Amino acid sequence: MLIALNAVLGRELKKTFRQKSRLLASMVRPMIWLFVIGGGVGSIMPDDSHQNYQDAIIPGILGMTLLFGSMLSALSTVYDKESGVMRMLIISPMPSYAVILSKLASSTLAGLLQIIMLCVLLFALQKLHFNQINWTLFIFSLCLTAIACAALGLITAVVSKSLDNFAAIMNFVIFPVFFLSGALYPVDNLPTILHWIAVANPFTYGVDLIKHSIAITQESTDFPLHVDALVLGAFSIVAIGFASWKFTQESTLATLINKLTGGKR
Amino acid sequence: MILAKNITKEYGEQIAVNNLSLDIPQGQFFGLLGPNGSGKTTTIHMLSTLIKPTSGSISVNGIDVQKGPQTVRESIGLVFQESALDRTLSIEENLYFCAGLHNISKKSAGPRVNELLELFELQSKKNATVGSLSGGMRRAVDIIRGVLHAPKVLFLDEPTVGLDLPSRRRIWRFIKQLIDEQQLTVVLTTHYLEEAAPCDNVAFIKGGSIVSEGAPEKLIDQLGKTIIEVNGPDTNALIERLELKTYEYMIEGGVLLIRIKDYETNKLDVIQSTLRGKADAISVRKSNLNDVFLWLSSNDHGLK
């Protein structure tokens, strides 16, 4: 089991560093949000809060990087070119739940690798400062958010039959999860309906948890620390449990196998 | 080695495999043949634990597939119609990744990886990414992947589909070497029937059931060792003239095919003398598995 896990994680590492253009894109996206949206929206705010808006969305941008990194990695497994790998996984002696767990582990790792590089970049640009971070909490919050994002991706992958193209996944899953959260604006100020959607969105708690770990954003958090951790943890456990259960169901496996092997049904 | 009893697979109303039984002894090279959609792939997926039969039982290596799918998977290899490889990784990385999934460390997989790369003439390409390989080479890597963990049974689902002739020949040379050297039990599906000629045993499957089973030579004998091909102009008139029974002839692409058994050699002379001057061309040839297949799939009379 350990050898298998090692193989799955090793492959994810190799792939991340081999696909240079994808890696570059994953760094450009948060920079655009930080400087273009952060700068643009910040500029319509009163002068003194201009800089503050950019700082305020840094946890949201860290969360977004995890969302794209981990969730896309988890979602893509079944559908894109990587399906060759899925074929290897389903014929291996690993039980089905282990296939789900190994996918969870590698998707979490995919997000975390991107976040490490983003952090290096943010430190270099002086947007994050070493001494303003509660490191234990920072690492904990990033890991937990990455797991939750990967779990969200897994659920989407196991329940959806038609989300097989990138645009659909972006429009119907990733963008709503990102925009309907506390990533770009405090949840408290949102209109009622949006507020409730954001409260029901687990990603909101991930961003909030990251806010807790950075000194400048600590005051703008929406929920207490333990609520964030509990919601994220509970969501992840339920999501992983559900994904494993669903994945081991005969109907899900049959659909997947037919898809992977070119079956007609 | 592989024992399937009365297996049936239903997808809703549709019956993909219907009450099918198989007994494949150890070391046998077995071919499962039939037209597209006849249930070959579904059968292979059931035998290889990927899907569960609706009813019936399967055991592989004496282990019930339903009770210990994971244990069964340790002792079987499967090569799908489509490649099961990571295109972005190199040949060697793919193989070590696959070894890892079977809980074999890189160190202990090393000698076998090298041995197989040598056998498949891929040693010099081992650092090339799979995406950069030709279809034939990729298929070769797929087969190495299938036998990497030294399985007892290898399932090959249309292993040469989509490959050009030289690649197909190469792949078959490799598979035969593997069968000779590794004492594998091999279950093959293919619709290139000449590829099934070296099988010890074949089963023709149609509409989810086995319609004919046996050694290829035996099936050819049953059909008749000789085939007469008669070209027009009016095949129906020729049939009437010859007073043929439906199971003796078939029309394929405008050509009248008549099968003749060993003891019926006098028929050959009768046909030739009756048709002299009436047919455009008459030729006589040995029959093969393709003929068996054509007769089975066009004719409801079976091989009388």
Side-chain angles (χ1 to χ4, degrees):
Chain A
M1 201 58 229
L2 275 179
I3 298 175
L5 185 67
N6 188 26
V8 172
L9 294 181
R11 172 176 161 271
E12 195 67 48
L13 266 173
K14 275 191 202 120
K15 276 180 83 87
T16 303
F17 290 108
R18 203 158 293 173
Q19 297 173 323
K20 301 239 160 43
S21 60
R22 206 156 144 189
L23 199 60
L24 189 69
S26 71
M27 292 298 102
V28 169
R29 193 186 297 124
M31 288 300 126
I32 289 176
W33 278 93
L34 184 61
F35 290 104
V36 180
I37 307 294
V41 176
S43 70
I44 57 175
M45 293 185 169
D47 271 352
D48 53 335
S49 60
H50 183 169
Q51 191 56 39
N52 294 353
Y53 184 68
Q54 243 184 31
D55 290 338
I57 63 169
I58 282 183
I61 283 167
L62 289 168
M64 177 189 73
T65 306
L66 289 174
L67 184 68
F68 278 83
S70 293
M71 192 168 166
L72 272 186
S73 161
L75 266 175
S76 65
T77 345
V78 185
Y79 301 111
D80 68 6
K81 287 179 206 140
E82 286 192 334
S83 54
V85 178
M86 203 61 197
R87 287 188 197 108
M88 274 202 249
L89 288 172
I90 56 169
I91 188 58
S92 79
M94 283 201 273
S96 303
Y97 71 86
V99 172
I100 284 288
L101 291 183
S102 69
K103 205 48 227 174
L104 179 86
S106 72
S107 301
T108 305
L109 181 68
L112 288 176
L113 286 172
Q114 290 185 11
I115 216 74
I116 291 170
M117 284 181 303
L118 180 64
C119 285
V120 171
L121 206 57
L122 290 174
F123 284 127
L125 293 166
Q126 305 258 306
K127 290 284 159 197
L128 266 183
H129 303 277
F130 253 83
N131 47 12
Q132 289 180 349
I133 291 173
N134 176 346
W135 279 95
T136 321
L137 189 58
F138 187 60
I139 292 168
F140 171 75
S141 64
L142 291 176
C143 289
L144 197 55
T145 308
I147 291 172
C149 290
L152 193 59
L154 284 177
I155 291 197
T156 316
V158 293
V159 298
S160 70
K161 282 184 181 145
S162 54
L163 284 183
D164 48 5
N165 70 71
F166 191 74
I169 290 169
M170 287 302 257
N171 286 324
F172 290 108
V173 184
I174 297 198
F175 284 153
V177 168
F178 177 55
F179 290 123
L180 299 171
S181 74
L184 297 174
Y185 17 72
V187 176
D188 273 348
N189 302 353
L190 289 174
T192 323
I193 297 172
L194 292 183
H195 174 81
W196 286 114
I197 296 175
V199 169
N201 180 354
F203 183 66
T204 303
Y205 300 87
V207 174
D208 203 55
L209 194 59
I210 300 171
K211 282 182 187 167
H212 274 288
S213 67
I214 302 170
I216 354 168
T217 55
Q218 221 165 18
E219 287 151 27
S220 59
T221 52
D222 294 304
F223 309 97
L225 182 68
H226 68 273
V227 171
D228 289 337
L230 277 175
V231 171
L232 272 186
F235 169 76
S236 302
I237 290 167
V238 171
I240 295 162
F242 175 76
S244 309
W245 171 79
K246 180 86 177 132
F247 190 71
T248 50
Q249 294 307 293
E250 175 71 7
S251 56
T252 314
L253 273 178
T255 312
L256 176 67
I257 286 161
N258 283 330
K259 208 164 209 148
L260 290 176
T261 55
K264 280 128 217 125
R265 286 177 195 88
Chain B
M1 178 58 53
I2 301 175
L3 198 62
K5 273 189 199 152
N6 310 103
I7 50 171
T8 296
K9 181 69 192 179
E10 290 167 15
Y11 289 99
E13 296 279 283
Q14 214 173 359
I15 298 172
V17 173
N18 190 4
N19 204 23
L20 182 144
S21 296
L22 281 174
D23 182 2
I24 306 170
Q26 184 164 10
Q28 191 170 77
F29 181 17
F30 183 85
L32 199 56
L33 315 174
N36 289 336
S38 59
K40 292 179 307 232
T41 297
T42 307
T43 305
I44 267 210
H45 285 168
M46 284 193 280
L47 297 181
S48 59
T49 77
L50 286 183
I51 54 178
K52 290 189 182 111
T54 314
S55 65
S57 69
I58 302 168
S59 79
V60 177
N61 284 325
I63 302 158
D64 189 327
V65 162
Q66 307 256 33
K67 283 182 192 139
Q70 268 75 46
T71 328
V72 169
R73 276 182 217 173
E74 282 169 17
S75 66
I76 61 171
L78 180 57
V79 178
F80 297 95
Q81 285 176 26
E82 280 164 76
S83 126
L85 298 164
D86 186 334
R87 296 168 69 97
T88 60
L89 296 186
S90 74
I91 293 181
E92 210 180 31
E93 285 166 337
N94 261 292
L95 296 177
Y96 284 125
F97 174 62
C98 179
L101 295 183
H102 282 89
N103 236 4
I104 306 166
S105 71
K106 200 171 168 179
K107 208 171 158 191
S108 39
R112 179 141 177 102
V113 167
N114 285 322
E115 178 200 346
L116 288 166
L117 285 174
E118 207 67 63
L119 178 71
F120 281 70
E121 297 164 13
L122 284 167
Q123 192 61 263
S124 60
K125 291 253 178 193
K126 65 180 182 188
N127 293 320
T129 55
V130 165
S132 71
L133 300 177
S134 70
M137 280 190 208
R138 208 177 304 144
R139 190 39 56 97
V141 180
D142 240 323
I143 294 171
I144 299 182
R145 175 198 52 75
V147 296
L148 188 62
H149 54 291
K152 294 201 173 79
V153 185
L154 177 64
F155 292 96
L156 296 168
D157 192 8
E158 307 268 3
T160 56
V161 77
L163 299 183
D164 58 20
L165 192 60
S167 303
R168 276 167 57 188
R169 294 224 168 113
R170 259 167 71 87
I171 290 293
W172 273 106
R173 189 155 51 80
F174 296 143
I175 292 174
K176 278 170 196 153
Q177 270 176 291
L178 268 180
I179 293 174
D180 291 344
E181 289 179 19
Q182 318 267 340
Q183 320 233 302
L184 279 167
T185 306
V186 178
V187 180
L188 164 80
T189 74
T190 181
H191 52 240
Y192 298 118
L193 296 178
E194 64 277 15
E195 292 184 344
C199 285
D200 300 316
N201 246 323
V202 296
F204 281 95
I205 171 171
K206 187 179 164 188
S209 306
I210 291 176
V211 287
S212 185
E213 192 178 2
E217 314 85 65
K218 205 185 104 203
L219 294 178
I220 291 169
D221 276 359
Q222 265 178 12
L223 179 80
K225 274 190 179 152
T226 309
I227 299 284
I228 306 176
E229 290 186 9
V230 184
N231 288 64
D234 183 357
T235 28
N236 286 325
L238 297 177
I239 292 164
E240 242 170 73
R241 207 178 181 83
L242 288 166
E243 297 175 349
L244 291 170
K245 295 193 185 78
T246 44
Y247 60 82
E248 291 172 337
Y249 75 90
M250 63 172 293
I251 297 167
E252 222 267 314
V255 181
L256 171 64
L257 302 179
I258 306 162
R259 60 194 175 105
I260 291 182
K261 301 206 174 180
D262 265 356
Y263 53 85
E264 298 176 318
T265 38
N266 60 325
K267 253 192 183 174
L268 194 62
D269 303 327
V270 174
I271 289 169
Q272 276 174 324
S273 57
T274 317
L275 295 185
R276 188 156 299 140
K278 305 280 189 302
D280 292 342
I282 302 174
S283 57
V284 180
R285 62 168 174 83
K286 274 188 169 175
S287 53
N288 55 38
L289 275 180
N290 275 312
D291 299 309
V292 177
F293 178 72
L294 283 175
W295 244 279
L296 283 173
S297 45
S298 74
N299 210 320
D300 290 329
H301 299 271
L303 297 179
K304 275 182 206 160

